[in-house]
Amino acid sequence: MKDRNDPTEPGKAADKAAGGAKGPDELRRQIQETRGQLGDTVEELAAKADMKGRARARGAELKDKASEAGHAVQDKAAQAGHVVQDKATETGRVVQDKAVRAGHVVQSKAGEAGQVVQDKAVQAGHVVQSRATQAGHAVQDNVPRPVRTAVTNAVQAGKRHPGPVLIAGAGAVVAAGVWRRRHNGHH
């Protein structure tokens, strides 16, 4: 069933326009109004039919979304970079602290080892000194009294007059060396 005001039915639109208008001014106004409605409808249909324009609009929309996503990814990457940099700095400090502590431990151990070596050297010095004293006493006990007296007198004379004693001592060393060579069979 068709509407009686349907403009597609012949004669009905003209009847409505002619019957509805109350003069030429009213008719002009109605024509202008109808033209405006038709213009809007044509623009809507043209926009729907404009595939290139719609594609451009959709492309611009997608480009904006992609740009926003790119910025979001870039921001996240920058944040991740800062996090990594902060962690690396923190790790560097931890490693440095551990190296300093290890250095202190090594330094302490080296000091302790040095002290142990020094203590052992002192002990060895005491042992050598004790044995030298014992050897000196053994020699002193085994050397006849006249020789001891002569040596004691020579030492005291050497303290009073060191020059002649040094010359005599050098001569005695040379004589002992010659005697030893001859005695060992080297002529």
Side-chain angles (χ1 to χ4, degrees), residues 13-74:
D15 289 344
K16 181 181 176 195
K22 296 184 181 170
D25 288 334
E26 178 70 19
L27 184 60
R28 280 190 204 107
R29 188 190 62 72
Q30 286 179 355
I31 290 172
Q32 277 301 105
E33 189 178 308
T34 303
R35 279 184 184 159
Q37 290 172 352
L38 283 175
D40 290 344
T41 304
V42 167
E43 283 180 19
E44 288 175 17
L45 289 173
K48 288 181 181 180
D50 182 17
M51 295 303 260
K52 278 187 178 179
R54 287 174 65 191
R56 278 191 212 118
R58 181 67 177 152
E61 183 182 323
L62 292 175
K63 184 178 175 184
D64 288 345
K65 284 184 180 180
S67 177
E68 288 174 13
H71 289 301
V73 167
Q74 192 175 20

Short mmCIF file of all heavy atoms in Angstrom, two decimals, residues 13-74:
data_model
loop_
_atom_site.label_atom_id
_atom_site.label_comp_id
_atom_site.label_asym_id
_atom_site.label_seq_id
_atom_site.Cartn_x
_atom_site.Cartn_y
_atom_site.Cartn_z
N ALA A 13 3.07 14.65 -5.56
CA ALA A 13 3.97 15.69 -5.09
C ALA A 13 3.48 17.05 -5.55
O ALA A 13 3.51 18.01 -4.79
CB ALA A 13 5.40 15.42 -5.58
N ALA A 14 3.06 17.11 -6.76
CA ALA A 14 2.59 18.39 -7.30
C ALA A 14 1.33 18.82 -6.57
O ALA A 14 1.14 20.00 -6.27
CB ALA A 14 2.32 18.28 -8.79
N ASP A 15 0.44 17.85 -6.25
CA ASP A 15 -0.78 18.18 -5.52
C ASP A 15 -0.44 18.70 -4.15
O ASP A 15 -1.04 19.66 -3.68
CB ASP A 15 -1.67 16.93 -5.36
CG ASP A 15 -2.32 16.50 -6.68
OD1 ASP A 15 -2.30 17.33 -7.60
OD2 ASP A 15 -2.77 15.34 -6.75
N LYS A 16 0.54 18.05 -3.47
CA LYS A 16 0.91 18.46 -2.12
C LYS A 16 1.49 19.86 -2.17
O LYS A 16 1.16 20.70 -1.34
CB LYS A 16 1.92 17.47 -1.53
CG LYS A 16 2.31 17.83 -0.12
CD LYS A 16 3.30 16.87 0.43
CE LYS A 16 3.73 17.35 1.80
NZ LYS A 16 4.88 16.72 2.27
N ALA A 17 2.39 20.07 -3.14
CA ALA A 17 3.02 21.38 -3.25
C ALA A 17 1.97 22.43 -3.60
O ALA A 17 1.96 23.50 -3.02
CB ALA A 17 4.12 21.35 -4.29
N ALA A 18 1.12 22.11 -4.53
CA ALA A 18 0.13 23.10 -4.94
C ALA A 18 -0.94 23.27 -3.89
O ALA A 18 -1.38 24.38 -3.62
CB ALA A 18 -0.50 22.68 -6.26
N GLY A 19 -1.32 22.15 -3.27
CA GLY A 19 -2.39 22.23 -2.28
C GLY A 19 -1.90 22.76 -0.97
O GLY A 19 -2.65 23.37 -0.22
N GLY A 20 -0.60 22.56 -0.64
CA GLY A 20 -0.10 22.96 0.65
C GLY A 20 0.36 24.40 0.67
O GLY A 20 0.43 25.02 1.72
N ALA A 21 0.68 24.97 -0.47
CA ALA A 21 1.21 26.32 -0.51
C ALA A 21 0.07 27.32 -0.53
O ALA A 21 -0.93 27.12 -1.18
CB ALA A 21 2.08 26.51 -1.74
N LYS A 22 0.25 28.38 0.17
CA LYS A 22 -0.81 29.39 0.24
C LYS A 22 -0.38 30.64 -0.48
O LYS A 22 -0.66 31.73 -0.05
CB LYS A 22 -1.11 29.71 1.69
CG LYS A 22 -1.66 28.53 2.40
CD LYS A 22 -2.05 28.85 3.78
CE LYS A 22 -2.56 27.62 4.45
NZ LYS A 22 -2.76 27.68 5.80
N GLY A 23 0.32 30.50 -1.47
CA GLY A 23 0.75 31.64 -2.26
C GLY A 23 2.15 31.39 -2.81
O GLY A 23 2.83 30.42 -2.49
N PRO A 24 2.60 32.28 -3.66
CA PRO A 24 3.89 32.09 -4.31
C PRO A 24 5.06 32.15 -3.31
O PRO A 24 6.06 31.44 -3.46
CB PRO A 24 4.00 33.21 -5.32
CG PRO A 24 2.80 34.07 -5.15
CD PRO A 24 1.89 33.42 -4.17
N ASP A 25 4.96 32.98 -2.30
CA ASP A 25 6.08 33.07 -1.34
C ASP A 25 6.20 31.76 -0.55
O ASP A 25 7.31 31.27 -0.30
CB ASP A 25 5.83 34.23 -0.37
CG ASP A 25 6.01 35.57 -1.04
OD1 ASP A 25 6.76 35.63 -2.03
OD2 ASP A 25 5.45 36.56 -0.53
N GLU A 26 5.06 31.24 -0.15
CA GLU A 26 5.06 29.96 0.59
C GLU A 26 5.60 28.87 -0.31
O GLU A 26 6.35 28.00 0.14
CB GLU A 26 3.64 29.64 1.07
CG GLU A 26 3.50 28.33 1.79
CD GLU A 26 4.17 28.31 3.15
OE1 GLU A 26 4.46 29.37 3.74
OE2 GLU A 26 4.49 27.20 3.63
N LEU A 27 5.25 28.88 -1.57
CA LEU A 27 5.72 27.88 -2.51
C LEU A 27 7.24 27.98 -2.68
O LEU A 27 7.94 26.97 -2.69
CB LEU A 27 5.00 28.05 -3.86
CG LEU A 27 5.32 27.01 -4.92
CD1 LEU A 27 4.97 25.61 -4.44
CD2 LEU A 27 4.60 27.32 -6.21
N ARG A 28 7.74 29.19 -2.79
CA ARG A 28 9.20 29.39 -2.92
C ARG A 28 9.93 28.84 -1.67
O ARG A 28 10.97 28.23 -1.76
CB ARG A 28 9.50 30.87 -3.09
CG ARG A 28 9.29 31.32 -4.51
CD ARG A 28 9.84 32.73 -4.71
NE ARG A 28 9.15 33.31 -5.81
CZ ARG A 28 8.23 34.25 -5.77
NH1 ARG A 28 7.91 34.82 -4.64
NH2 ARG A 28 7.65 34.69 -6.86
N ARG A 29 9.35 29.13 -0.50
CA ARG A 29 9.95 28.66 0.72
C ARG A 29 9.97 27.14 0.75
O ARG A 29 10.97 26.52 1.13
CB ARG A 29 9.18 29.20 1.93
CG ARG A 29 9.90 28.90 3.24
CD ARG A 29 9.03 29.22 4.42
NE ARG A 29 7.81 28.44 4.49
CZ ARG A 29 7.72 27.14 4.79
NH1 ARG A 29 8.81 26.45 5.06
NH2 ARG A 29 6.57 26.52 4.84
N GLN A 30 8.90 26.50 0.37
CA GLN A 30 8.82 25.04 0.35
C GLN A 30 9.81 24.47 -0.66
O GLN A 30 10.47 23.45 -0.39
CB GLN A 30 7.40 24.59 0.00
CG GLN A 30 6.42 24.78 1.13
CD GLN A 30 5.01 24.34 0.75
OE1 GLN A 30 4.74 23.97 -0.41
NE2 GLN A 30 4.10 24.39 1.72
N ILE A 31 9.98 25.12 -1.78
CA ILE A 31 10.93 24.66 -2.80
C ILE A 31 12.35 24.75 -2.23
O ILE A 31 13.16 23.81 -2.36
CB ILE A 31 10.80 25.48 -4.10
CG1 ILE A 31 9.47 25.13 -4.78
CG2 ILE A 31 11.97 25.23 -5.04
CD1 ILE A 31 9.14 26.02 -5.97
N GLN A 32 12.66 25.86 -1.57
CA GLN A 32 13.98 26.03 -0.98
C GLN A 32 14.23 24.95 0.08
O GLN A 32 15.30 24.36 0.15
CB GLN A 32 14.09 27.41 -0.31
CG GLN A 32 14.44 28.54 -1.25
CD GLN A 32 15.74 28.31 -1.95
OE1 GLN A 32 15.73 27.97 -3.14
NE2 GLN A 32 16.87 28.47 -1.28
N GLU A 33 13.23 24.68 0.88
CA GLU A 33 13.35 23.66 1.93
C GLU A 33 13.57 22.29 1.31
O GLU A 33 14.44 21.53 1.74
CB GLU A 33 12.07 23.67 2.79
CG GLU A 33 12.19 22.81 4.01
CD GLU A 33 10.89 22.90 4.85
OE1 GLU A 33 10.46 24.02 5.17
OE2 GLU A 33 10.39 21.82 5.19
N THR A 34 12.83 21.98 0.28
CA THR A 34 12.95 20.69 -0.40
C THR A 34 14.33 20.58 -1.06
O THR A 34 14.98 19.53 -1.00
CB THR A 34 11.83 20.51 -1.44
OG1 THR A 34 10.58 20.65 -0.78
CG2 THR A 34 11.91 19.16 -2.12
N ARG A 35 14.81 21.67 -1.68
CA ARG A 35 16.14 21.67 -2.28
C ARG A 35 17.21 21.39 -1.21
O ARG A 35 18.16 20.65 -1.44
CB ARG A 35 16.43 23.01 -2.94
CG ARG A 35 15.81 23.13 -4.29
CD ARG A 35 16.23 24.43 -4.92
NE ARG A 35 15.56 24.61 -6.19
CZ ARG A 35 15.38 25.77 -6.79
NH1 ARG A 35 15.84 26.87 -6.22
NH2 ARG A 35 14.77 25.84 -7.95
N GLY A 36 17.08 22.03 -0.04
CA GLY A 36 18.04 21.80 1.04
C GLY A 36 18.06 20.35 1.49
O GLY A 36 19.12 19.75 1.71
N GLN A 37 16.84 19.76 1.64
CA GLN A 37 16.76 18.36 2.05
C GLN A 37 17.37 17.46 0.99
O GLN A 37 18.10 16.52 1.30
CB GLN A 37 15.29 17.98 2.31
CG GLN A 37 14.71 18.62 3.53
CD GLN A 37 13.21 18.37 3.66
OE1 GLN A 37 12.57 17.84 2.74
NE2 GLN A 37 12.65 18.79 4.80
N LEU A 38 17.07 17.75 -0.27
CA LEU A 38 17.63 16.96 -1.36
C LEU A 38 19.16 17.10 -1.40
O LEU A 38 19.89 16.13 -1.61
CB LEU A 38 17.03 17.37 -2.71
CG LEU A 38 15.63 16.86 -2.99
CD1 LEU A 38 15.12 17.45 -4.30
CD2 LEU A 38 15.62 15.35 -3.09
N GLY A 39 19.65 18.31 -1.14
CA GLY A 39 21.10 18.54 -1.13
C GLY A 39 21.78 17.72 -0.02
O GLY A 39 22.83 17.11 -0.24
N ASP A 40 21.14 17.72 1.15
CA ASP A 40 21.71 16.94 2.25
C ASP A 40 21.71 15.46 1.90
O ASP A 40 22.70 14.75 2.16
CB ASP A 40 20.90 17.17 3.54
CG ASP A 40 21.10 18.57 4.10
OD1 ASP A 40 22.08 19.24 3.69
OD2 ASP A 40 20.29 18.98 4.97
N THR A 41 20.60 14.98 1.33
CA THR A 41 20.50 13.57 0.96
C THR A 41 21.52 13.23 -0.10
O THR A 41 22.19 12.19 -0.04
CB THR A 41 19.07 13.27 0.47
OG1 THR A 41 18.14 13.64 1.49
CG2 THR A 41 18.91 11.80 0.13
N VAL A 42 21.69 14.11 -1.07
CA VAL A 42 22.67 13.86 -2.15
C VAL A 42 24.08 13.84 -1.56
O VAL A 42 24.89 12.99 -1.92
CB VAL A 42 22.53 14.93 -3.26
CG1 VAL A 42 23.71 14.88 -4.21
CG2 VAL A 42 21.24 14.74 -4.02
N GLU A 43 24.38 14.74 -0.63
CA GLU A 43 25.72 14.75 -0.01
C GLU A 43 25.96 13.47 0.77
O GLU A 43 27.06 12.90 0.73
CB GLU A 43 25.85 15.96 0.92
CG GLU A 43 26.10 17.26 0.17
CD GLU A 43 26.23 18.44 1.12
OE1 GLU A 43 26.48 18.22 2.34
OE2 GLU A 43 26.10 19.57 0.66
N GLU A 44 24.93 13.00 1.50
CA GLU A 44 25.08 11.75 2.25
C GLU A 44 25.33 10.59 1.31
O GLU A 44 26.20 9.75 1.55
CB GLU A 44 23.83 11.49 3.09
CG GLU A 44 23.70 12.40 4.28
CD GLU A 44 22.38 12.19 5.03
OE1 GLU A 44 21.73 11.14 4.83
OE2 GLU A 44 22.03 13.08 5.81
N LEU A 45 24.54 10.54 0.22
CA LEU A 45 24.73 9.45 -0.76
C LEU A 45 26.09 9.56 -1.44
O LEU A 45 26.76 8.55 -1.67
CB LEU A 45 23.61 9.49 -1.81
CG LEU A 45 22.23 9.06 -1.31
CD1 LEU A 45 21.18 9.31 -2.41
CD2 LEU A 45 22.23 7.60 -0.93
N ALA A 46 26.53 10.78 -1.75
CA ALA A 46 27.82 10.97 -2.41
C ALA A 46 28.94 10.53 -1.47
O ALA A 46 29.93 9.91 -1.89
CB ALA A 46 27.99 12.43 -2.81
N ALA A 47 28.80 10.87 -0.17
CA ALA A 47 29.83 10.47 0.80
C ALA A 47 29.90 8.95 0.91
O ALA A 47 30.98 8.38 1.00
CB ALA A 47 29.53 11.10 2.16
N LYS A 48 28.71 8.31 0.90
CA LYS A 48 28.70 6.85 0.96
C LYS A 48 29.26 6.25 -0.31
O LYS A 48 29.89 5.19 -0.28
CB LYS A 48 27.29 6.33 1.22
CG LYS A 48 26.83 6.58 2.63
CD LYS A 48 25.45 6.03 2.85
CE LYS A 48 24.99 6.32 4.27
NZ LYS A 48 23.64 5.81 4.52
N ALA A 49 29.04 6.88 -1.43
CA ALA A 49 29.51 6.35 -2.71
C ALA A 49 30.98 6.70 -2.96
O ALA A 49 31.63 6.06 -3.78
CB ALA A 49 28.65 6.89 -3.84
N ASP A 50 31.55 7.68 -2.26
CA ASP A 50 32.94 8.11 -2.47
C ASP A 50 33.88 7.15 -1.76
O ASP A 50 34.30 7.36 -0.63
CB ASP A 50 33.11 9.54 -1.93
CG ASP A 50 34.52 10.07 -2.17
OD1 ASP A 50 35.26 9.51 -3.00
OD2 ASP A 50 34.89 11.05 -1.49
N MET A 51 34.26 6.08 -2.46
CA MET A 51 35.12 5.05 -1.88
C MET A 51 36.54 5.58 -1.66
O MET A 51 37.17 5.27 -0.66
CB MET A 51 35.15 3.81 -2.78
CG MET A 51 33.80 3.13 -2.88
SD MET A 51 33.18 2.70 -1.28
CE MET A 51 33.60 1.01 -1.24
N LYS A 52 37.03 6.39 -2.59
CA LYS A 52 38.38 6.93 -2.42
C LYS A 52 38.44 7.81 -1.18
O LYS A 52 39.38 7.72 -0.39
CB LYS A 52 38.78 7.76 -3.64
CG LYS A 52 39.29 6.96 -4.79
CD LYS A 52 39.82 7.90 -5.85
CE LYS A 52 40.39 7.16 -7.02
NZ LYS A 52 40.88 8.06 -8.06
N GLY A 53 37.48 8.66 -1.02
CA GLY A 53 37.44 9.55 0.14
C GLY A 53 37.33 8.77 1.43
O GLY A 53 38.00 9.08 2.42
N ARG A 54 36.46 7.77 1.44
CA ARG A 54 36.32 6.94 2.63
C ARG A 54 37.61 6.19 2.94
O ARG A 54 38.02 6.06 4.08
CB ARG A 54 35.15 5.96 2.45
CG ARG A 54 33.80 6.67 2.53
CD ARG A 54 32.65 5.78 2.22
NE ARG A 54 32.49 4.72 3.21
CZ ARG A 54 31.69 3.69 3.05
NH1 ARG A 54 30.97 3.56 1.97
NH2 ARG A 54 31.61 2.76 3.99
N ALA A 55 38.26 5.68 1.87
CA ALA A 55 39.53 4.97 2.05
C ALA A 55 40.60 5.92 2.60
O ALA A 55 41.38 5.55 3.48
CB ALA A 55 39.99 4.34 0.74
N ARG A 56 40.62 7.16 2.06
CA ARG A 56 41.58 8.16 2.56
C ARG A 56 41.33 8.45 4.04
O ARG A 56 42.26 8.53 4.84
CB ARG A 56 41.48 9.45 1.76
CG ARG A 56 42.25 9.40 0.48
CD ARG A 56 42.33 10.79 -0.14
NE ARG A 56 42.35 10.63 -1.57
CZ ARG A 56 41.45 11.07 -2.42
NH1 ARG A 56 40.43 11.77 -2.00
NH2 ARG A 56 41.56 10.85 -3.70
N ALA A 57 40.06 8.63 4.38
CA ALA A 57 39.72 8.92 5.77
C ALA A 57 40.11 7.76 6.67
O ALA A 57 40.68 7.95 7.75
CB ALA A 57 38.22 9.22 5.89
N ARG A 58 39.80 6.54 6.21
CA ARG A 58 40.15 5.35 7.01
C ARG A 58 41.68 5.22 7.11
O ARG A 58 42.22 4.87 8.15
CB ARG A 58 39.53 4.10 6.38
CG ARG A 58 39.82 2.83 7.12
CD ARG A 58 39.15 2.81 8.46
NE ARG A 58 39.41 1.52 9.12
CZ ARG A 58 39.44 1.34 10.40
NH1 ARG A 58 39.19 2.35 11.21
NH2 ARG A 58 39.70 0.17 10.91
N GLY A 59 42.38 5.50 6.01
CA GLY A 59 43.84 5.46 6.00
C GLY A 59 44.43 6.47 6.97
O GLY A 59 45.36 6.17 7.72
N ALA A 60 43.87 7.69 6.97
CA ALA A 60 44.34 8.72 7.90
C ALA A 60 44.09 8.28 9.34
O ALA A 60 44.93 8.48 10.23
CB ALA A 60 43.66 10.05 7.61
N GLU A 61 42.91 7.69 9.55
CA GLU A 61 42.57 7.20 10.90
C GLU A 61 43.56 6.12 11.33
O GLU A 61 44.07 6.14 12.45
CB GLU A 61 41.14 6.66 10.88
CG GLU A 61 40.63 6.18 12.21
CD GLU A 61 39.21 5.60 12.10
OE1 GLU A 61 38.41 6.14 11.33
OE2 GLU A 61 38.96 4.61 12.81
N LEU A 62 43.83 5.17 10.44
CA LEU A 62 44.77 4.09 10.77
C LEU A 62 46.19 4.62 10.95
O LEU A 62 46.94 4.16 11.82
CB LEU A 62 44.75 3.01 9.68
CG LEU A 62 43.46 2.19 9.59
CD1 LEU A 62 43.52 1.25 8.39
CD2 LEU A 62 43.23 1.41 10.86
N LYS A 63 46.54 5.63 10.13
CA LYS A 63 47.87 6.24 10.25
C LYS A 63 48.01 6.90 11.62
O LYS A 63 49.04 6.77 12.27
CB LYS A 63 48.06 7.27 9.14
CG LYS A 63 49.42 7.90 9.11
CD LYS A 63 49.55 8.86 7.95
CE LYS A 63 50.87 9.59 7.97
NZ LYS A 63 50.97 10.58 6.91
N ASP A 64 46.97 7.60 12.05
CA ASP A 64 47.00 8.23 13.38
C ASP A 64 47.14 7.17 14.47
O ASP A 64 47.92 7.35 15.42
CB ASP A 64 45.74 9.06 13.61
CG ASP A 64 45.73 10.34 12.78
OD1 ASP A 64 46.80 10.71 12.26
OD2 ASP A 64 44.64 10.94 12.64
N LYS A 65 46.38 6.08 14.34
CA LYS A 65 46.47 5.01 15.35
C LYS A 65 47.86 4.39 15.36
O LYS A 65 48.43 4.11 16.41
CB LYS A 65 45.42 3.94 15.09
CG LYS A 65 44.03 4.36 15.50
CD LYS A 65 43.04 3.24 15.31
CE LYS A 65 41.64 3.66 15.73
NZ LYS A 65 40.66 2.59 15.56
N ALA A 66 48.42 4.16 14.16
CA ALA A 66 49.76 3.58 14.07
C ALA A 66 50.79 4.53 14.67
O ALA A 66 51.72 4.11 15.37
CB ALA A 66 50.11 3.27 12.62
N SER A 67 50.62 5.82 14.42
CA SER A 67 51.54 6.80 14.97
C SER A 67 51.47 6.80 16.50
O SER A 67 52.49 6.85 17.18
CB SER A 67 51.21 8.19 14.43
OG SER A 67 52.06 9.16 15.00
N GLU A 68 50.24 6.73 17.02
CA GLU A 68 50.07 6.68 18.47
C GLU A 68 50.71 5.42 19.04
O GLU A 68 51.39 5.47 20.06
CB GLU A 68 48.58 6.72 18.82
CG GLU A 68 47.92 8.06 18.60
CD GLU A 68 46.41 8.02 18.82
OE1 GLU A 68 45.91 7.02 19.38
OE2 GLU A 68 45.75 8.99 18.42
N ALA A 69 50.50 4.28 18.35
CA ALA A 69 51.10 3.03 18.81
C ALA A 69 52.63 3.11 18.74
O ALA A 69 53.33 2.63 19.65
CB ALA A 69 50.59 1.86 17.96
N GLY A 70 53.14 3.73 17.69
CA GLY A 70 54.60 3.90 17.56
C GLY A 70 55.16 4.73 18.69
O GLY A 70 56.20 4.42 19.26
N HIS A 71 54.46 5.82 19.02
CA HIS A 71 54.91 6.66 20.13
C HIS A 71 54.85 5.88 21.45
O HIS A 71 55.74 6.02 22.30
CB HIS A 71 54.06 7.94 20.22
CG HIS A 71 54.34 8.91 19.12
ND1 HIS A 71 55.58 9.46 18.90
CD2 HIS A 71 53.53 9.43 18.16
CE1 HIS A 71 55.52 10.27 17.87
NE2 HIS A 71 54.28 10.27 17.39
N ALA A 72 53.79 5.08 21.61
CA ALA A 72 53.67 4.28 22.84
C ALA A 72 54.83 3.29 22.94
O ALA A 72 55.44 3.13 24.01
CB ALA A 72 52.33 3.55 22.87
N VAL A 73 55.15 2.63 21.82
CA VAL A 73 56.27 1.67 21.81
C VAL A 73 57.58 2.40 22.09
O VAL A 73 58.42 1.93 22.85
CB VAL A 73 56.32 0.91 20.46
CG1 VAL A 73 57.63 0.16 20.31
CG2 VAL A 73 55.15 -0.03 20.34
N GLN A 74 57.73 3.57 21.47
CA GLN A 74 58.95 4.35 21.67
C GLN A 74 59.08 4.76 23.14
O GLN A 74 60.17 4.67 23.72
CB GLN A 74 58.90 5.59 20.77
CG GLN A 74 60.19 6.33 20.65
CD GLN A 74 60.09 7.49 19.66
OE1 GLN A 74 59.00 7.94 19.34
NE2 GLN A 74 61.23 7.95 19.17
#
